[in-house]
Amino acid sequence: MEGFNLSSGYIIKELTILFPDDSYQHFQFNPPNDFNPTAAQRKTIKYTQKKLNELTLYDNALLPYSTISDIMQKISLHTIFIAGNITHKVINEYLSLTKVIDICTEHNFSYPKELPPANCFKQHRPRYCSMAKATYVKNFMNSLRNK
């Protein structure tokens, strides 16, 4: 996932789910309806947009934020592999009973400074693209299985 890490919590903007058969779902969300950022949060959002992920919190994404819960429930019976403390925390907030494995902890994984571009439907840096990250994580997991 990719989004905005704020003092009040993480706002998911992009979410990509890759499946073992190489199919995927890639989602982009509007912010929560009741989200009224403080001045400090607006500053963080602006910094994140300009310097990191180049995603716009307020754009014409088609999916309402409330659909994240429905999407998460659809994958709740599967083991989920993620990378990173923040992602692990956010996924656990939605799926507290689901097996979520942080490969950073389990396999000493870290993202490279540059990731290959992905067909994400938004023009932004691959290092901060949920699709590019998911593809890199899946390739890493496949390399472990092939050893």
Side-chain angles (χ1 to χ4, degrees), residues 11-23:
I11 304 277
I12 300 171
K13 183 63 183 173
E14 275 191 342
L15 176 68
T16 302
I17 302 167
L18 291 179
F19 299 96
D21 67 356
D22 288 330
S23 63

Side-chain angles (χ1 to χ4, degrees), residues 45-54 125 128:
I45 290 165
K46 187 176 180 179
Y47 173 83
T48 302
Q49 280 178 228
K50 294 210 180 282
K51 301 291 185 182
L52 301 176
N53 66 24
E54 298 176 299
R125 290 179 187 96
Y128 298 98

Side-chain angles (χ1 to χ4, degrees):
M1 70 182 184
E2 185 58 49
F4 301 89
N5 192 21
L6 305 174
S7 58
S8 60
Y10 195 86
I11 304 277
I12 300 171
K13 183 63 183 173
E14 275 191 342
L15 176 68
T16 302
I17 302 167
L18 291 179
F19 299 96
D21 67 356
D22 288 330
S23 63
Y24 68 92
Q25 293 288 316
H26 183 65
F27 307 97
Q28 295 179 349
F29 305 97
N30 283 318
N33 285 337
D34 60 349
F35 181 61
N36 296 308
T38 65
Q41 289 171 329
R42 285 192 301 273
K43 187 175 179 181
T44 300
I45 290 165
K46 187 176 180 179
Y47 173 83
T48 302
Q49 280 178 228
K50 294 210 180 282
K51 301 291 185 182
L52 301 176
N53 66 24
E54 298 176 299
L55 294 171
T56 304
L57 183 62
Y58 298 99
D59 62 6
N60 293 322
L62 297 176
L63 294 174
Y65 204 79
S66 59
T67 59
I68 294 172
S69 294
D70 295 332
I71 293 165
M72 293 292 184
Q73 288 310 308
K74 297 288 184 189
I75 62 171
S76 65
L77 298 177
H78 301 277
T79 299
I80 300 170
F81 294 90
I82 57 92
N85 213 4
I86 294 170
T87 303
H88 193 254
K89 179 182 174 194
V90 172
I91 298 296
N92 275 331
E93 289 172 7
Y94 285 97
L95 302 173
S96 60
L97 301 176
T98 300
K99 185 174 183 180
V100 179
I101 298 171
D102 182 353
I103 65 170
C104 295
T105 304
E106 297 290 321
H107 299 290
N108 201 27
F109 171 85
S110 63
Y111 290 110
K113 291 192 187 291
E114 296 288 326
L115 286 173
N119 187 15
C120 157
F121 314 115
K122 290 251 186 200
Q123 188 68 23
H124 64 122
R125 290 179 187 96
R127 178 66 173 84
Y128 298 98
C129 172
S130 70
M131 181 68 140
K133 288 178 178 180
T135 302
Y136 196 83
V137 166
K138 188 167 191 303
N139 290 339
F140 177 82
M141 294 305 296
N142 285 341
S143 73
L144 290 179
R145 285 187 199 106
N146 292 331
K147 283 186 178 181

